[in-house]
Amino acid sequence: MSKSNKLKIFNDPIYGFIRIPNTLIFDLIAHPYFQRLRRISQMGLSYLVYPGAHHTRFHHALGCMHLMQKAIQVLRFKGVALSKEEEQGLLCAILLHDIGHGPFSHAMEHSIVENISHETISLRFMQELNTMFNGSLTVAIAIFNGEHERKFLNQLVSSQLDMDRLDYLKRDSFYTGVAEGNTNAERLITMLNVVDGNLVVEEKGIYSVEKFLMARRFMYWQVYLHKTGVVAEQLLIRILKRARYLLKKQQTLVASDALLYFLNNRIATTNFDDETLRLFSKLDDVDVFSAMKMWQYSDDFILSELCKMILDRKLLHIKMKNEPFKTEKLKDKFKKTQQHFKLTDEETSYLVFDGVVANKAYNRNQQNINIVKKNGKIVDVAKLSDHFNLNALSKTVTKYYVCYPKDTV
């Protein structure tokens, strides 16, 4: 295909037209590994709470690349030297930063594979693509890994104020309709600068940073850790756990070859080889959905019930509060459920369980968000803020939940 025929723009509901800057980026987007992201939902099962939340990792990756183009433009305008190779590296690193997500994004991050983060799998994909594209991603991989000598390049891709967060807050806020999460990404990018090789925000951008951190807090508790989303994710994790258990007992389950491979084999860092990567690249939300649609008719009561709960949105009841639930309460729910459905202890544990969720809007132990004052002094945003106490946002908020079937209460 000649260069002139290659699609140059995408129409995005958030930013309008997104320009594809060059042939390499076009070819990466066109690759099946990247096209797979069209079939991975950005927000897992959040659409069960917010019906509009059906956008995908594909949308998000393009949005991040668009914001990175803006950031490069702003920094160059302010006199920060960026070579063509560094620009290409930044755009490729941010475009591919989420390529390692499995079905339903974070919901099943440690269910398909054991203790392998999506970042690790993203890196494997990038290394594979680097071979295919004759080393064109070498700089991008160094930036993604935090190994590039210019620290601010890595900070643009992965930090507490990176292009990833700027896009997903704005995008997720738009698709869920939760206005509190909306951030002015363009203004924040306009305030970026580089001092001593590190990314900083100019002093006049402090209120934009505060709003961004508040928006992040709202989105976590209103959307990402919404109790209905939490119980739906837990059910999904338990569906795969049950399917694994049944396959181990030599029961036959119908599913795609890719999904059966990951259910029949325990995949950890040690045995995640090239063949595993190839099979992982075949896996997306559709595999899990189609499996659930078949498994709802399973002879196994637990597997069948769990699948119906998600497909029909008849989820377990969930209660969430700020302190742990009393053990007696959980035991009582457990016993009632067990007697009601005539289940074993092991089977009941799929339907009655407790857990913990936690969130910190600003982590002062990570790369801080630094503000450069007019006199050139660099200060952590939490120390400089007078609008409200950002220290409160630096504290971890923990909530406890308990889940059980509604009809046994």
Side-chain angles (χ1 to χ4, degrees), residues 72-88:
I72 291 165
Q73 212 176 351
V74 164
L75 293 176
R76 277 190 174 144
F77 178 75
K78 291 179 183 177
V80 178
L82 272 163
S83 69
K84 276 279 174 214
E85 289 73 24
E86 287 165 343
E87 176 181 5
Q88 183 89 293

Side-chain angles (χ1 to χ4, degrees), residues 120-299:
T120 305
I121 301 173
S122 291
L123 180 60
R124 288 295 305 271
F125 274 123
M126 287 167 81
Q127 288 164 338
E128 181 82 5
L129 288 165
N130 198 29
T131 307
M132 292 179 196
F133 287 91
N134 305 318
S136 318
L137 299 178
T138 305
V139 177
I141 289 169
I143 293 170
F144 181 81
N145 273 341
E147 291 163 357
H148 199 284
E149 58 192 18
R150 303 186 80 189
K151 267 184 84 176
F152 77 92
L153 298 178
N154 169 248
Q155 289 161 353
L156 284 165
V157 173
S158 178
S159 66
Q160 294 202 74
L161 190 65
D162 55 29
M163 300 307 110
D164 173 31
R165 290 183 185 195
L166 286 179
D167 180 80
Y168 78 63
L169 284 177
K170 199 171 176 66
R171 190 168 298 278
D172 297 349
S173 160
F174 175 85
Y175 280 100
T176 55
V178 176
E180 291 88 345
N182 193 11
T183 55
N184 192 338
E186 284 84 352
R187 175 162 170 80
L188 271 165
I189 289 171
T190 307
M191 297 297 139
L192 292 178
N193 211 330
V194 174
V195 175
D196 298 330
N198 284 297
L199 197 64
V200 295
V201 180
E202 290 162 3
E203 191 173 6
K204 57 191 170 188
I206 186 165
Y207 294 116
S208 299
V209 174
E210 286 177 351
K211 185 171 184 305
F212 161 78
L213 291 173
M214 282 302 290
R216 197 160 179 267
R217 177 172 169 264
F218 282 132
M219 285 297 283
Y220 265 89
W221 290 117
Q222 259 183 278
V223 179
Y224 307 132
L225 297 176
H226 187 287
K227 63 178 190 173
T228 307
V230 168
V231 70
E233 283 195 4
Q234 287 300 321
L235 290 172
L236 197 54
I237 290 164
R238 281 163 170 74
I239 285 169
L240 286 203
K241 184 183 167 190
R242 188 64 180 176
R244 270 211 174 94
Y245 170 82
L246 295 171
L247 286 166
K248 217 172 182 180
K249 296 271 181 202
Q250 307 300 313
Q251 291 201 29
T252 307
L253 286 181
V254 181
S256 70
D257 291 346
L259 184 57
L260 283 174
Y261 173 82
F262 286 98
L263 290 175
N264 279 312
N265 299 287
R266 292 209 169 275
I267 303 297
T269 322
T270 44
N271 59 345
F272 198 105
D273 54 19
D274 291 347
E275 177 59 12
T276 307
L277 188 73
R278 191 188 65 77
L279 283 159
F280 190 88
S281 76
K282 302 271 178 254
L283 205 56
D284 54 52
D285 293 8
V286 180
D287 296 75
V288 179
F289 261 126
S290 59
M292 285 194 291
K293 286 179 74 177
M294 288 182 279
W295 296 347
Q296 67 180 318
Y297 305 112
S298 168
D299 293 338

